[in-house]
Amino acid sequence: MSADMQKLIGANEEDDEEEIEMDVKEEDNEDHENGQKHIAAQMMLGADGVMPSTSHQFQIQQQLQEQVSTPGGGARRSRPLEEKERTKLRERHRRAITARILAGLRKHGNYNLRVRADINDVIAALAREAGWVVLPDGTTFPSRSQGSRPAGDSSAGLTSSSSQMLSQQVPPTSLQGVSSGYCASVEYNACHMKGVFMPTPAPYDLSSSGHSQSSGMVGNGGEQTESLPLIAGSMEVINEQIIGLPPKLPERDFAGTPYVPVYVMLPLGVVNMKCELVDPDGLLKQLRVLKSINVDGVMIDCWWGIVEADAPQEYNWNGYRRLFKMVHELKLKLQVVMSFHECGGNVGDDVCIPLPHWVAEIGRSNPDIFFTDREGRRNTECLSWGIDKERVLRGRTAVEVYFDFMRSFRVEFNEFFEDGIISMVEVGLGPCGELRYPSCPVKHGWRYPGIGEFQCYDQYMLKSLMKAAEMRGHSFWARGPDNAGSYSSHPHETGFFCDEGDYDGYYGRFFLNWYSQLLINHGDLVLSLAKLAFEGSCIAAKLPGIHWWYKTSSHAAELTAGFYNPCNRDGYIAIAAMLHKHGAALNFARAELQFLEQREDLQEALANPQGLVWQVLNAAWETCITVVSENAFVCHDRVGYNKILENVKPVNDPDGRHFSSFTYLRLTPLLMERQNFMEFERFVKRMHGEAVLYLQV
């Protein structure tokens, strides 16, 4: 990418040299024309200001022609050669700087500027990013204020309602380029968003207050319009911001916004394999510091591999009981995760917690209890959903094992439920605790942005597939796709996922429907038992954000993970309906995902984090389920916190919807460093809707 950019800059500089020479020639021609005009004026007027006679005009004209044709004549002001060279050097230096600026904007700012872009293109791109409308003729006005249009605008005949509809078509936060926003919006909504609502966010670096967008003001014509969220509400201010005069831009003020509880996820190894609390004194100090800044509570994983490690139905909760008492004494709340998967080998895992030993022993004699790919490789992260109803775990089915574990937890910590200390129980439904297939295991060779592989080749899932194929009347469909590529393949490299591939054929639709329905059935069954075990308490399920290849027709990476969500089908509505059936909340673990569009690897993978975020959120909100979230990436800076805040509390949502809670990933020594902790304290206050000082970045 950098090599291509260097070539682009080099090509620009060669073109610029030609333009410089043309500019210098044009200046000389202008001097020549100005000299001729000056001479002509002298010819037309005499020394005393009166018109000379015809014979006298002829004599003057002959003299002037001789002067113009003679080098060094007095009529034409000849520029010294050194001055021309200095002009060329200055112009070359200026254009080289401009080329570097434009290259940086393209590479790091995701600005789709043309090759010969100038300052006008940059200003137009910035105006679009600020939510303004830029017409093809360069006319610029706020998208939500008709009073700011110039009187001579050719489109002034548009009504207020039609202009608002036009402004809503402009895609939010993605209009950083100079291409037409209207075309991109139509294509975006038609192909990828399936008609869901996309609220227009107010960028934190442009609006001074969330309330300023709805405050009224009177325009020149006397009619009431909406005020533009600028520092001083004037066009001069936005011009100063664009050319970079103010060194800092204002943030959005979250004072008065809804209170969103903030939890902090505790370290993975806070309880060791013997179910003992590690470093209780140090943890107590950290919890007190968190309490001092009004953090609402903490989240803790209760690992199946620790509590029921040695023998079936022999549970050891000692370390967790000590931890819960500590949290209770500090008057903090608890979010608890029923972790039925192994820890280790995934991003962010710094400890190793396998599945229980007795489960591993069963797996050695019957490896089909684990997910299996086409090559027969087993994935021991979690149990296959094929044994949800198979009594292969010492006389119990998988869901019975999960239910016994959850019931034991409820009995052990019943007083914490009654006192309201445990505010939510998140139920692990797959690898990393997420409701998905383990389609992208690094240990089996997957590398981003690979599409992954289907995980349906253990004998129990194949038996389910055979049954479904026979019910359909096509027993030969009882097989997995044979042209779906490998873990790190790209969609266009396969016959199944490419455009107009087999995924959209009769067999492909049958297989994907069965594969995704098995995922929904697993979540439905486990959550029904969780609702029974934790009656009266809030339960939640976690969904991943698989955003790569979202801009392709097949959405291949989502398909292998179990989400039947190609461009012509909404694969998240059925999952949201299943969660709503059990009154479960949705934990969508990608709070800052939609702000990653600028990364080059996402562009190359045809990823669309923003589209995925809003599709999942709309599916959740349409079915009236609670949405909670956590950050997917480590965050210690104000820019990252601002992005999370904008997503948790979308400013322009017409129904005022927001996330119900947020969990910060995770408590580490780095977070407790002075500067990082001050930023985190400020973030917590803004999540709580409190006013904070020093809004400047």
Side-chain angles (χ1 to χ4, degrees):
M1 188 69 181
S2 60
D4 296 338
M5 190 61 67
Q6 291 293 336
K7 293 180 180 178
L8 178 61
I9 295 175
N12 289 342
E13 291 179 354
E14 292 176 1
D15 295 339
D16 290 340
E17 290 181 2
E18 296 178 2
E19 292 180 5
I20 293 170
E21 294 178 0
M22 294 177 63
D23 291 342
V24 174
K25 290 180 181 178
E26 289 175 1
E27 286 185 29
D28 293 340
N29 292 335
E30 289 177 2
D31 292 341
H32 178 62
E33 292 174 0
N34 293 336
Q36 286 184 332
K37 291 178 181 179
H38 180 68
I39 295 170
Q42 289 182 347
M43 178 185 72
M44 295 298 295
L45 296 174
D48 53 354
V50 298
M51 186 69 68
S53 62
T54 304
S55 60
H56 185 58
Q57 287 181 14
F58 179 74
Q59 292 176 0
I60 294 175
Q61 185 176 3
Q62 280 187 330
Q63 294 176 0
L64 293 177
Q65 287 179 353
E66 290 176 359
Q67 290 177 352
V68 170
S69 60
T70 303
R76 175 179 176 183
R77 182 174 54 85
S78 178
R79 298 179 59 193
L81 183 60
E82 294 80 8
E83 184 178 348
K84 293 182 180 179
E85 292 299 326
R86 284 197 297 270
T87 302
K88 288 183 180 181
L89 289 175
R90 285 195 301 269
E91 188 66 17
R92 185 178 293 110
H93 181 64
R94 182 185 66 80
R95 297 196 182 199
I97 294 175
T98 303
R100 294 188 186 97
I101 293 174
L102 297 178
L105 289 172
R106 294 187 190 99
K107 182 176 181 180
H108 303 291
N110 195 29
Y111 287 86
N112 185 23
L113 299 173
R114 60 189 179 90
V115 175
R116 294 182 179 274
D118 55 17
I119 190 61
N120 297 326
D121 296 322
V122 176
I123 293 175
L126 291 172
R128 290 192 183 95
E129 186 181 14
W132 288 43
V133 175
V134 181
L135 299 181
D137 64 352
T139 303
T140 307
F141 55 88
S143 61
R144 299 179 65 85
S145 174
Q146 301 304 315
S148 299
R149 286 198 191 199
D153 187 6
S154 60
S155 59
L158 290 175
T159 63
S160 175
S161 59
S162 63
S163 62
Q164 289 180 1
M165 291 175 60
L166 184 64
S167 66
Q168 290 178 358
Q169 290 178 353
V170 182
T173 72
S174 61
L175 289 180
Q176 295 183 349
V178 297
S179 58
S180 173
Y182 310 113
C183 236
S185 172
V186 173
E187 180 183 358
Y188 184 89
N189 289 330
C191 297
H192 306 298
M193 287 309 299
K194 306 178 180 68
V196 299
F197 168 72
M198 295 265 312
T200 305
Y204 63 86
D205 57 346
L206 286 175
S207 60
S208 59
S209 173
H211 305 289
S212 64
Q213 296 190 3
S214 58
S215 59
M217 62 174 291
V218 179
N220 295 332
E223 67 180 79
Q224 190 168 352
T225 59
E226 291 183 353
S227 65
L228 183 68
L230 298 177
I231 302 176
S234 64
M235 188 63 188
E236 289 76 15
V237 175
I238 190 65
N239 286 337
E240 290 179 354
Q241 290 179 350
I242 290 175
I243 64 176
L245 289 181
K248 298 177 181 178
L249 296 176
E251 298 175 302
R252 175 184 161 195
D253 185 5
F254 288 88
T257 57
Y259 184 102
V260 175
V262 178
Y263 292 77
V264 176
M265 195 178 299
L266 296 183
L268 292 171
V270 67
V271 175
N272 62 22
M273 290 300 299
K274 297 180 180 180
C275 204
E276 298 172 341
L277 188 59
V278 178
D279 189 17
D281 295 335
L283 179 61
L284 180 59
K285 293 178 182 178
Q286 292 178 325
L287 292 178
R288 284 173 176 167
V289 173
L290 293 178
K291 178 64 177 179
S292 68
I293 63 170
N294 296 322
V295 167
D296 296 87
V298 295
M299 174 181 275
I300 180 66
D301 289 89
C302 290
W303 294 99
W304 180 33
I306 292 179
V307 177
E308 197 181 0
D310 299 323
Q313 295 181 286
E314 291 185 6
Y315 306 104
N316 178 8
W317 298 103
N318 293 336
Y320 291 104
R321 172 164 286 280
R322 186 175 180 183
L323 172 62
F324 289 7
K325 286 183 177 179
M326 187 184 300
V327 172
H328 185 22
E329 291 172 357
L330 292 174
K331 297 183 180 180
L332 293 170
K333 291 188 178 295
L334 275 168
Q335 291 179 337
V336 182
V337 183
M338 301 285 101
S339 297
F340 297 111
H341 60 283
E342 74 173 14
C343 179
N346 289 309
V347 177
D349 292 349
D350 54 4
V351 299
C352 181
I353 304 174
L355 296 184
H357 301 312
W358 60 273
V359 173
E361 291 178 1
I362 297 174
R364 281 190 285 270
S365 60
N366 182 13
D368 285 296
I369 67 173
F370 301 119
F371 284 105
T372 309
D373 63 17
R374 186 176 181 83
E375 300 298 324
R377 289 167 291 198
R378 314 289 183 173
N379 193 317
T380 60
E381 287 186 68
C382 58
L383 297 179
S384 167
W385 302 333
I387 65 170
D388 278 354
K389 298 181 180 180
E390 300 287 340
R391 296 188 177 278
V392 295
L393 300 176
R394 305 280 178 89
R396 292 186 296 168
T397 66
V399 293
E400 288 175 345
V401 170
Y402 303 147
F403 176 69
D404 289 342
F405 183 87
M406 291 186 289
R407 183 173 56 183
S408 173
F409 177 83
R410 176 59 189 264
V411 172
E412 182 73 20
F413 300 107
N414 185 62
E415 69 270 24
F416 294 97
F417 284 95
E418 292 180 350
D419 294 341
I421 300 302
I422 298 178
S423 61
M424 186 183 75
V425 179
E426 183 179 301
V427 183
L429 297 173
C432 299
E434 299 170 338
L435 179 60
R436 64 174 175 89
Y437 288 89
S439 57
C440 301
V442 175
K443 61 184 177 182
H444 290 166
W446 175 83
R447 296 294 181 272
Y448 178 86
I451 58 178
E453 290 191 19
F454 293 111
Q455 306 290 315
C456 60
Y457 294 93
D458 63 80
Q459 62 168 322
Y460 302 104
M461 293 191 71
L462 288 177
K463 184 172 65 174
S464 173
L465 180 58
M466 173 65 76
K467 183 178 179 180
E470 290 176 349
M471 290 181 62
R472 182 69 182 269
H474 303 290
S475 58
F476 58 93
W477 281 355
R479 57 178 176 82
D482 54 7
N483 59 346
S486 59
Y487 284 109
S488 295
S489 297
H490 293 184
H492 62 273
E493 300 171 348
T494 71
F496 191 80
F497 297 114
C498 64
D499 291 345
E500 301 181 0
D502 293 344
Y503 80 93
D504 203 27
Y506 290 110
Y507 160 73
R509 291 197 294 270
F510 158 78
F511 174 80
L512 293 172
N513 185 71
W514 166 82
Y515 190 74
S516 62
Q517 191 60 46
L518 213 59
L519 174 143
I520 296 175
N521 291 344
H522 171 73
D524 185 27
L525 188 56
V526 176
L527 288 178
S528 64
L529 296 177
K531 184 179 180 181
L532 181 62
F534 305 119
E535 184 178 2
S537 300
C538 176
I539 60 175
K542 188 176 180 179
L543 280 187
I546 302 178
H547 53 268
W548 54 101
W549 306 119
Y550 189 91
K551 291 183 179 179
T552 62
S553 58
S554 63
H555 293 218
E558 292 172 87
L559 297 185
T560 58
F563 304 110
Y564 192 7
N565 189 53
C567 63
N568 57 354
R569 187 180 189 275
D570 193 333
Y572 296 99
I573 283 291
I575 296 174
M578 181 268 293
L579 297 178
H580 179 265
K581 171 184 175 182
H582 302 294
L586 167 64
N587 181 1
F588 190 55
R590 296 296 183 269
E592 76 281 31
L593 195 61
Q594 72 182 85
F595 298 94
L596 302 178
E597 307 283 356
Q598 60 201 18
R599 286 176 46 184
E600 294 181 9
D601 55 349
L602 297 183
Q603 298 174 13
E604 295 171 359
L606 296 178
N608 190 356
Q610 184 180 9
L612 175 65
V613 166
W614 287 112
Q615 185 186 355
V616 174
L617 291 184
N618 275 275
W621 284 332
E622 284 179 9
T623 51
C624 300
I625 62 177
T626 301
V627 180
V628 300
S629 188
E630 62 189 50
N631 53 307
F633 306 99
V634 177
C635 178
H636 296 297
D637 61 277
R638 189 171 301 185
V639 174
Y641 287 137
N642 284 334
K643 293 176 180 179
I644 294 174
L645 283 159
E646 289 291 347
N647 198 9
V648 172
K649 299 180 178 184
V651 65
N652 281 341
D653 189 285
D655 300 313
R657 295 171 296 197
H658 56 85
F659 292 5
S660 296
S661 69
F662 176 79
T663 302
Y664 176 81
L665 178 72
R666 128 182 4 254
L667 179 61
T668 62
L670 186 59
L671 174 64
M672 306 306 289
E673 292 181 1
R674 183 177 182 276
Q675 184 61 36
N676 292 338
F677 195 75
M678 289 176 61
E679 285 294 338
F680 181 68
E681 179 183 8
R682 186 175 179 278
F683 167 72
V684 172
K685 289 181 179 294
R686 301 174 80 195
M687 274 290 188
H688 290 169
E690 300 177 15
V692 297
L693 300 177
Y694 309 110
L695 284 178
Q696 296 289 339
V697 178

